[in-house]
Amino acid sequence: MSRSTTTETPEAKELALVGKVELRIALTDSDAKLESMLNTYLAPLLLKLASDHVSVRNKERLDLLPTLMHGLAENFAESPTHTASLFNVILKLLHHLVLPLRGSAEDVDLRLRLGLTERIPDAEFVATWLGKVILFPTSTPATKCCPGLSAGDCDFLKLYGKNDLWTLGGPGNSSSGMNLTETKVISAKFLSSGAFTEAERFLPALYASADSNSRLSELGEDMLKRATPVVSLEDHLLLTRLFTVYLGTRGATGSLPARRSLQTKILALFCKSKGSATFVPQILQIVKEALEPQGQVFNHMGSQHLGAAPKQGLDLAKLRAQLFTFTNWVARMGSGESLGALAPTLVNDLRTYIEAQGWPQVNNESSGLSLGELRSRSYCYESIGLLAEACPSELLVEPNLDLLRWLFNSLSADTSGTDTSISIEQALSSVLSPFAKNTDKDVEHALTDLLLHNMSLIIGETGADGNVIVRATRYVAVRFANRCLPFHNVRARLLDVLAQKDGPRERGEVLEEGRRGLDPYWYRNLNPLGSSPSTRNDALETSRYKMPNFADLTQEFFMGQDTSVALRQRLGFGYSPAITFCRCVLLHQALTSEDQSPVVDAEWKKNIDAMISNDERGRMEIKSHLENMCPAADDRHYLSNFLYAALEGLTNPSSGDSDSSGNCLLEICSLSPGHVLDEIASRVSELRDIIFANRHSSRSIASHIFGILASRGESTSPEVESLLHQFSRKIEKWSDAVGAEVHGVHGSVLSTAYLLSRKKYLRNDYNLGGDAESAFVRSVLTMLSTGRDKELLEAATLAVDQLCLFGILTSGTIPVPYDVLSLVDKLKARAEDGDDNSVLTLGHLAMQCDEGDKGNELDASALGRIIDCLYKLHEKRQPELQFAVGAALSCAAAGWQSKSLIGLQDVDSGAIPRCASRSKTLDTILEKVLGDCKTTKPALRQGSVIWLLCIVQYCGHLPQVQSRLRQCQTAFKGFLADRESLNQETASRGLTLVYEKGDRNLKDDLIRDLVGSFTSTNIGLAGNVSSETQLFEPGALPTGDGSVTTYKDIMSLASEVGDSSLVYRFMSLASNNAIWSSRAAFGRFGLSNILSDSSVDGYLAQNPKLYPALFRYRFDPNTNVRSAMNDIWSALVKDPQSTIKDHFDSILEDLLKNILGKEWRVRQASCAAIADLVQGRPLEQYEMYLSRIWTLTFKVCDDIKDSVRQAAMALARVLTTILTRSLEAGDSSSNTAGVMLKEVLPFLLSPSGLESSAQEVQAFSLKTLLQIIKSSNAKILRPFIPELVGRLLALLSSLEPQEINYLHLNADKYGMTAQQIDDVRLSSVRSSPMMEAIERCLDMLDDASMMQLQSSLEQALRTTIGLPSRVGVSRVLVSLSTRHNFVFKPYADIFLKILRKQVLDRNDTISTSFAAASGYVARLASNDEVLGLFDYCKKLYFDSGDDDRYRTVSAELVSAVAKYATDRFASLANDILPFVFIAKHDPNERTRDLFSNTWNENVGGSRAVLLYLKEIVGMASPYLDSPRWSIRHTAAFAIANAVKSMGTEISRPNAETIWPSLEKALNGKTWDGKESILEAFVAFAKNSDLLISNKQIADRMQSIMLRESKRNNAQYRQHALACLGDFVESFKGVDWYELVHDITNPLIIELCDDGNNMDIDSPTGGPSSKITSERTLANALRTLLRSIDPVRRDSPRLTASLTQTLDLIGKALSKNDKVVKDAILDGEMALFKKLTNTKLNDSLDSILTEYAATLFEMDEQAEQSRTKAAEAATALAGWAPEKSQVHTRLTSGVKLALTQERSPSVRQKLQASWKALGYQN
């Protein structure tokens, strides 16, 4: 043998042996050889895993694995059994393999060391089968196959028949196989190492994440989180494998479907893959099986397989919820081809599922539907809607409308609850879009019928299908009508009318939807075209937006009922809207036919009204259209029917707004041809009641209509004659009319005036008959002159107005005693009172007055008088009145040529009504008004500019005005700087009119000035102002030093800021007056026409500088300025999108420049404008400005002006929304998302965000931050996580309401404790959304970010002070330890050490939280650090002084480790359980309970203390003489409890171990609880053999016992005497009587003589002094009796001791105490039992006779005492000779007792005594 061999070390030998065996195994070439080899060498080889040499163990584990792994994939194809054996060996090796730290260099190199880098098939094979191990069930399957595993897979894992291979049960299982649960966990850990790639571990990670074992699922979740971003979920092969696992495979040996939890996980992955939507058959099977009734799942062979039935409860509910999410995903992501194959079947399955639950009515009691099933029902409806939307051609858009009808029936009759109805409505909303694109007329007709049917359903009634209606479907039906049917569909518009049928009783949303459906503008907004048309009118020309036919409308609305009553009942409150809509459609069609279509916008109806009332051409075109559509021979024409319907609406107010119907009737009558009016005039008598009605507006309308209709025909009809007669009678008695009679007179006067004026206009020779006309005129004038009633004066004024307007009342026809001048004076007086009608009447009266022969001297004439009166009305500062004056002046100047009278020609005679000729009046009035415009008198200036506006408007077409347009322009410009806002606006509208009338040069001049006011520093439209011209009211514009009031002030302020355009900006602050809204004035007088025209071919076409400024002004804080600028923008910019796109950079640069401007209004407007500008635009368009926008926004968020701050916050919200959308989209191009986060996160965490004092700012910041965290992916957010977590933790306390701190400090005032409040605070932290955000951040951690987070958490632990923050830190550590243990494990030791100080927090809640966190962190910490923590707990417990809190903290730490790191605690039990045992005897209740629970949960029984006896004694002994009493007592109690736990037989080694400590524990004076130590001492003496084997210890024990018995402490003494009795019984080798007698005799005598002592309560809450004395006396007597040993005392001494004791007993019995009596009887019975071998003599017989007598002489003994006496008698009777005195005494006593005893149990004992005496029953 060589020298090297002889010197080879044992370690080298073992390494060589391992190498040789590995080589032999590797060289095997058949299954038989391999089996033989393994049988021979496997066991020895595995033993080397436990080698004493580390190198051998590591080589064994790491070197053997590559050998076993290499070639597995190839071997499996050749020999599955061989491969199964090798794989089983791999699994066994994994149990002993120590994996390197994750992320370490060793972990990274592990794949290379295992040789898997080049052997990818082997790596995939091992990963796949490790995944199948995870799938392998831990309970024995009933079939050969398992969920997710085929029969072949199961055989492979069981080594093809070795059923005992796995330990499937718990720890008590006797099987010798591998523990399957541990193998799964170890397999998952191996998979998570660097040996495998993310793609290889993906499926096993998925399987593990769905496992019910939390240890395994946590590992799986962590792996899956890291693998999912790497793996492509669009890989067809991967998807196929997932579907296979989910569904299983067919055949007897195929795999079963996966477990429900795994299926849920797989469905969640499918919802992230577009490719999953292409697996049509699999999807259908998934849905079918998931919706199968429970218990009816079938296996692959077609037979029922009850074992695989899904469980009821949470798993199934989660699966179905995820299933519906998947179906929604398929509906959105599936291709048309896939959906065409999927949707019909899926929808049918979903409908079947719903109907199987009971449809439409569900009875929860009978069907037993759970909450989860009801939720599934809701999801079904939603999925049906989405699938139907995705495949409309197959499911929805078909003539029968089966599915849509089913959904509507479900909505109306489904009884499963509100949540379900919401889902049905959502489903119906989903199918709106396909019907909106429908062009099939049959489908449209069927849909209309369906919607009309649903509009008629009434809740509570039974439908045609037999279902009870439980829910209205009107709103959904109207929505369908407005979005799915074209606007020209008259039945759809009928649906909108019916939606308003119930008026105020109907829901608001139904009414609103009905109104929108009757408005073409809103209809267009609800149904936008795919590509925006160039103009709105072009859009309406499309077939969808085309107006309904008027004839069809009237046919559908008003001609389908037999009677008018039935018609009104059918339409209800929708009658009036129907009339109004028909009127608008009629007029729109009329205007459109003449190429003058009204603009369809939000003011569509007002646009039509404006064209009718002010556009002469428009009125003529309407009249022409109506004439053409109404042949005279057509007696039943639609127009007539409409007029009849409108008349019905007016005369029957119950049908809604009768005035609206009346106005429509009046309007159409004034435009309709005569032959149509002749037809409806036959029903004029129906107006009588309305003419006399109480409602003023209705009377006025009806009277006007009466005048128009009754004036038709050559002669007056009898009905009209009758009405005129009634009117005449009422008018004659006008002076006596009161109350309702006044209304009749009012209507009569108006009706007669309207009739007379129209009749005279049509037939100049018409007369009321006789003197009736003159009498009427006279009555009217009298009424005007002398009347006092307001209504009658109004009626008289209007009557005079109508008579003057149509030339009936002139200066020559006024009856005496009245004349024109007196009439003028009367009207003037009323006009000065502010009556508009009187002003207009003056103008109309002036129309009948000649100019006279004196040239311009009009003052002398009536005309001059009237005009002068009108001029003087300027003193009335009432804008409405001044407009009336302007209209009156235009009438006086131009007569019927004034455009103000266009709408008053309501009858057509072919000629203009009579009026005086004019040649000079207009010139005179115009010169006068232009001159007055220059005056400085405010009232006259305002009146003049309004009059000038009216004259230009109404008379601008006349040459007199045309020639003075430039003068008018100059006059208007002079008012643009006027201090009165109304004057400024009036001037701007006047300029618009001048622009319309002027030529190109005039137009360009005006535009140049207008644009200059926005974009230049030149004064354009300033007019003539001086330095003292007052522009604003004092105080209206405070600037800090004073108030800007004059032009000089404005110029000074402009100079200070370097912006002279500030002058015009101040001028633009003039607010829009309500007068323009009431007159729709902007459309008539505003700047829209100027800008619109100029932008095409004028100045603006070449000067676009206006756009940036105008865009900003659209967001001005002033509502009126904003409204005006929006109107200008709308007029100027026809295509806003393209305009903004073209000028985007210039607009944004202007806004960024002005956002920090000196004017707060500009800053605020800039914020709002930027928010509007960037929304909806691609990020690339403003990416270069993004940083500037954020920076400037943050600056303005701290603005001094509150409204500016709010606008900045709104902008910040917009930017945040953009950011979150970018994050959701994963947009990381140019690091945009990262850059945005760097900007926004500091702001949100700053004092301007979450730390702001404003609650709304805090709420916004928190919400925004949560959105960012929720929307971000890990790659983008990960760099910010460390700082983010630290700041969020600190903010948990900052955001806590201050009231909580106050309540915490004053808890006692509110009947609460501080701990209760802390518990609530703790609960709020746990449920805080900020904690959710922190958890989300932790989910994104990786190794690099965890390293940075370490310092952030350490900083938080050092600096945070509030309870929420500190508790939050503890929860973060808990989360890291449980859910993120792989990244956190390297730092566990650090944090476990840091937490030692944190648990000492003064707040108990915080301390407990950190203790719990320590327990979780201990899971991952090293053994050394956990032991260090235990040492710290011991030090904290033993060396922290007398503060109970530190000992409690120690208890909480140990309890937390035991509870949350159970495995670690168990592995280190020897080091900690002895301490736990000692500490569980702590005097503090909380501390004691914690340690006790820890001990009880970690040991197997009371005798487990023997395992740690040496450690317990060694640890406790040093503290038995501790100067701190609490520690000393705890140690003593621990020693005592250890003795008691050692059982009835204490071994000598254990006894010798514990005796010194037990002796030490008894040293010293007495203290509360010391009796338990003494009891343990007695137990020790009784259960150990030291009393026998060790004389020295026996003597020492005797000495201790006697010493303790002599203690004077009353509470302790009673226990000591009892223990002495037990000790005497145990210590047989000594005659104890004398020793005991010396102790007890004086004590008994003392206690028997203290009967007069006062009973005193114990100060510590224990027994009173009397009770203590009784117990002491009882124990003393019992012990004394027990100390008499007949064996060790001869007869004289025995007799003497019995005599002495009997004397003491006699004294004690004199106290008559039950406790004492019972103790004596116990002692006597013990004594009597010892007499077995004692010989009786006379003295002994005598004394025992006395003892026997005491048994029956105790007075009034309780039943228990009598029982004891009988038992003692039995004991004595068994020894007493038959003829002895004691026998005789016992016989008499027992006999007497039997005759007196009633208790069965006592009699039974006495009978036993009787038998012992030798007697029979």
Side-chain angles (χ1 to χ4, degrees), residues 1141-1159:
K1141 182 178 180 181
D1142 294 340
H1143 300 277
F1144 183 85
D1145 291 334
S1146 60
I1147 292 174
L1148 189 53
E1149 285 288 355
D1150 176 80
L1151 295 175
L1152 293 175
K1153 174 183 176 182
N1154 287 282
I1155 196 172
L1156 297 180
K1158 295 187 177 181
E1159 301 174 35

Side-chain angles (χ1 to χ4, degrees), residues 8-22 48 51 53-60 63:
E8 192 173 13
T9 64
E11 181 177 358
K13 291 181 179 179
E14 289 189 12
L15 288 173
L17 177 62
V18 169
K20 292 177 181 179
V21 172
E22 288 178 355
K48 295 302 178 183
S51 171
H53 306 291
V54 176
S55 60
V56 176
R57 294 199 302 268
N58 290 341
K59 174 178 177 57
E60 174 68 10
D63 291 353

Side-chain angles (χ1 to χ4, degrees), residues 1687-1754:
V1687 176
R1688 295 192 177 276
R1689 297 184 74 83
D1690 54 18
S1691 179
R1693 293 172 59 208
L1694 177 60
T1695 304
S1697 59
L1698 290 174
T1699 303
Q1700 292 174 346
T1701 304
L1702 185 62
D1703 291 341
L1704 294 175
I1705 290 174
K1707 293 179 180 180
L1709 289 175
S1710 64
K1711 296 179 68 67
N1712 195 27
D1713 183 83
K1714 177 183 180 300
V1715 175
V1716 176
K1717 292 178 181 179
D1718 289 347
I1720 293 173
L1721 290 172
D1722 289 338
E1724 289 178 340
M1725 183 170 62
L1727 173 63
F1728 296 158
K1729 289 181 179 179
K1730 297 177 184 178
L1731 297 174
T1732 305
N1733 297 322
T1734 303
K1735 294 182 179 181
L1736 183 67
N1737 55 36
D1738 293 341
S1739 59
L1740 187 59
D1741 189 17
S1742 176
I1743 191 64
L1744 288 176
T1745 300
E1746 294 184 26
Y1747 272 94
T1750 62
L1751 297 177
F1752 305 104
E1753 292 177 357
M1754 297 181 185

Side-chain angles (χ1 to χ4, degrees), residues 341-534:
L342 272 172
T345 305
L346 286 182
V347 169
N348 182 65
D349 290 343
L350 294 172
R351 283 183 63 174
T352 302
Y353 174 76
I354 293 174
E355 291 169 356
Q357 291 182 335
W359 180 90
Q361 297 180 353
V362 176
N363 187 331
N364 289 349
E365 296 180 357
S366 64
S367 64
L369 293 184
S370 64
L371 181 61
E373 289 171 324
L374 290 175
R375 189 176 292 116
S376 297
R377 186 182 182 94
S378 298
Y379 290 149
C380 273
Y381 280 119
E382 296 174 12
S383 298
I384 288 173
L386 290 172
L387 290 169
E389 179 187 17
C391 188
S393 60
E394 298 290 336
L395 295 168
L396 282 175
V397 187
E398 44 88 16
N400 293 327
L401 301 179
D402 176 67
L403 180 59
L404 183 65
R405 197 179 309 276
W406 184 82
L407 287 173
F408 266 104
N409 290 340
S410 299
L411 180 61
S412 64
D414 193 297
T415 59
S416 54
T418 303
D419 292 341
T420 306
S421 68
I422 294 173
S423 297
I424 299 172
E425 288 189 5
Q426 185 175 340
L428 285 166
S429 298
S430 299
V431 302
L432 276 170
S433 178
F435 282 102
K437 302 173 184 177
N438 170 61
T439 58
D440 190 312
K441 294 299 181 182
D442 293 336
V443 174
E444 180 181 330
H445 181 77
L447 176 61
T448 307
D449 289 341
L450 176 61
L451 298 180
L452 285 171
H453 168 72
N454 279 276
M455 287 296 294
S456 64
L457 299 179
I458 300 175
I459 296 177
E461 294 186 356
T462 302
D465 52 2
N467 296 319
V468 178
I469 307 302
V470 299
R471 194 175 297 107
T473 58
R474 296 166 64 84
Y475 176 65
V476 179
V478 180
R479 286 192 70 209
F480 265 81
N482 291 345
R483 288 163 177 77
C484 302
L485 298 175
F487 192 70
H488 60 77
N489 187 313
V490 294
R491 299 176 73 198
R493 305 290 71 79
L494 176 62
L495 282 162
D496 293 313
V497 171
L498 294 176
Q500 306 174 62
K501 175 182 178 180
D502 293 334
R505 298 189 303 272
E506 186 58 86
R507 291 185 299 165
E509 62 266 25
V510 179
L511 295 174
E512 181 63 25
E513 195 68 31
R515 296 188 189 104
R516 290 181 176 184
L518 297 178
D519 189 323
Y521 172 76
W522 274 109
Y523 182 87
R524 179 185 180 276
N525 288 341
L526 295 174
N527 302 277
L529 293 176
S531 57
S532 300
S534 59

Side-chain angles (χ1 to χ4, degrees), residues 118-180:
E118 303 298 330
R119 295 179 177 270
I120 296 177
D122 292 334
E124 292 177 346
F125 180 87
V126 173
T128 300
W129 280 99
L130 289 177
K132 292 182 179 182
V133 169
I134 294 172
L135 285 176
F136 196 62
T138 54
S139 59
T140 305
T143 58
K144 293 183 179 181
C145 49
C146 310
L149 298 177
S150 66
D153 295 336
C154 294
D155 289 340
F156 181 92
L157 294 176
K158 291 188 292 186
L159 287 181
Y160 295 94
K162 294 186 179 180
N163 294 324
D164 59 347
L165 181 66
W166 299 103
T167 299
L168 302 177
N173 194 295
S174 60
S175 174
S176 60
M178 286 187 293
N179 186 291
L180 180 57

Side-chain angles (χ1 to χ4, degrees), residues 1560-1608:
K1560 192 176 182 180
L1562 283 169
N1563 290 337
K1565 62 181 181 179
T1566 59
W1567 39 272
D1568 290 345
K1570 186 180 179 181
E1571 59 273 9
S1572 65
I1573 314 300
L1574 189 58
E1575 292 170 358
F1577 171 80
V1578 174
F1580 178 81
K1582 180 180 179 180
N1583 299 328
S1584 70
D1585 63 348
L1586 289 182
L1587 282 173
I1588 301 172
S1589 61
N1590 193 319
K1591 180 67 170 58
Q1592 183 179 359
I1593 293 178
D1595 294 341
R1596 183 59 184 157
M1597 285 185 178
Q1598 179 180 349
S1599 174
I1600 292 173
M1601 191 66 251
L1602 293 175
R1603 181 191 71 198
E1604 295 301 319
S1605 301
K1606 297 176 183 179
R1607 299 286 187 185
N1608 294 325

Side-chain angles (χ1 to χ4, degrees), residues 637-712:
H637 194 270
Y638 297 112
L639 179 59
S640 301
N641 291 327
F642 170 70
L643 294 177
Y644 286 139
L647 177 62
E648 187 69 27
L650 173 63
T651 56
N652 292 277
S654 61
S655 59
D657 185 7
S658 59
D659 288 354
S660 178
S661 298
N663 282 322
C664 292
L665 177 60
L666 174 60
E667 191 173 59
I668 302 302
C669 285
S670 66
L671 299 170
S672 297
H675 49 267
V676 175
L677 298 181
D678 290 341
E679 181 179 345
I680 196 173
S682 61
R683 299 179 58 180
V684 72
S685 60
E686 297 178 17
L687 294 170
R688 175 188 176 279
D689 293 339
I690 303 300
I691 292 174
F692 295 153
N694 293 334
R695 189 170 180 176
H696 178 275
S697 57
S698 297
R699 288 199 310 272
S700 301
I701 296 171
S703 299
H704 198 163
I705 295 172
F706 174 80
I708 295 174
L709 296 180
S711 64
R712 302 300 306 169

